[in-house]
């Protein structure tokens, strides 16, 4: 990968670098994160894995599959609340038939003066975003972490159900 959210920052530079990587190491799998589905073809022909932000829609997914590219999504924890984290990694991932889901953030604090104070907010979001909270004894999983785990379980159920349907 070269760059992050490349279509929102420096798509030409990223496309150039990905092309150089592919030319130097043709067997390498190239990857970048893409914010807007309408930009899914910016990095052709050298991009193998398209990882979209949570803006991914059915049309962007279809174009990625038709191009023979691996379809991924990414986001961070806690931005939309626990139900959304579960939905994102379960129902939505299954509906779009994603090849993978990844995260851009493990733990982040907006206001370090209010580390454990969820009443301190930034742009109407929680003060912290993370799968865990730091403690003296090591990381403590959050409810967001548990929601993500539930979403992964949901995804497994959908995969199993679809496999049984296909088998029947």
């Amino acid at each position: 990968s070269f760059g992050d959210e490349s279509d929102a920052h420096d798509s030409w530079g990223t496309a150039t670098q990905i092309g150089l990587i592919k030319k130097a190491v043709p067997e390498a799998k190239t990857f970048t994160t893409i914010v807007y589905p309408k930009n899914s073809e910016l990095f052709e022909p050298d991009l193998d894995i398209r990882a979209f932000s949570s803006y991914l829609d059915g049309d962007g997914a279809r174009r990625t599959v038709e191009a023979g590219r691996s379809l991924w999504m990414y986001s961070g924890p806690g931005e939309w609340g626990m139900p959304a984290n579960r939905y994102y990694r379960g129902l939505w991932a299954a509906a779009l038939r994603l090849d993978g889901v990844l995260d851009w953030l493990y733990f982040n604090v907006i206001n370090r003066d209010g580390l454990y104070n969820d009443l301190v907010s930034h742009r109407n979001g929680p003060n912290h975003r993370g799968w865990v909270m730091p403690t003296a004894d090591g990381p403590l999983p959050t409810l967001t972490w548990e929601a993500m785990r539930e979403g992964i379980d949901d995804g497994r159920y959908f995969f199993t159900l679809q496999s049984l349907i296909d088998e029947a």
Side-chain angles (χ1 to χ4, degrees):
S1 180
F2 181 86
D4 178 38
E5 297 186 344
S6 306
D7 62 317
H9 300 293
D10 181 19
S11 55
W12 178 251
T14 300
T16 302
Q17 294 300 322
I18 289 173
L20 291 173
I21 292 168
K22 203 63 161 172
K23 195 173 285 185
V25 188
E27 67 275 9
K29 294 288 185 194
T30 53
F31 165 93
T32 196
T33 53
I34 301 170
V35 177
Y36 306 107
K38 66 179 182 176
N39 296 333
S40 61
E41 284 76 29
L42 285 175
F43 309 101
E44 290 300 326
D46 299 311
L47 188 64
D48 297 308
I49 301 169
R50 297 176 182 176
F52 293 91
S53 76
S54 48
Y55 296 121
L56 179 61
D57 58 12
D59 190 48
R62 179 189 52 75
R63 288 194 318 272
T64 297
V65 170
E66 286 175 357
R69 303 299 179 234
S70 185
L71 177 63
W72 287 59
M73 281 178 52
Y74 71 96
S75 77
E79 296 165 34
W80 308 285
M82 290 179 294
N85 280 293
R86 179 177 183 173
Y87 172 74
Y88 181 79
R89 285 158 184 82
L91 291 172
W92 193 240
L96 292 173
R97 299 183 178 265
L98 299 179
D99 296 310
V101 176
L102 58 98
D103 295 288
W104 62 270
L105 181 67
Y106 187 67
F107 178 77
N108 184 41
V109 175
I110 307 300
N111 180 342
R112 295 202 180 275
D113 294 331
L115 180 62
Y116 296 102
N117 183 357
D118 282 344
L119 299 177
V120 176
S121 66
H122 177 73
R123 294 187 201 158
N124 300 322
N127 180 45
H128 72 277
R129 292 183 181 144
W131 300 118
V132 299
M133 294 295 286
T135 70
D137 297 323
L140 174 69
T142 64
L143 292 175
T144 303
W145 175 267
E146 295 305 321
M148 185 255 310
R149 287 171 33 105
E150 291 292 326
I152 290 170
D153 285 345
D154 293 345
R156 289 178 179 156
Y157 300 142
F158 287 119
F159 178 82
T160 301
L161 178 60
Q162 187 61 53
S163 297
L164 293 171
I165 290 170
D166 292 347
E167 186 178 307

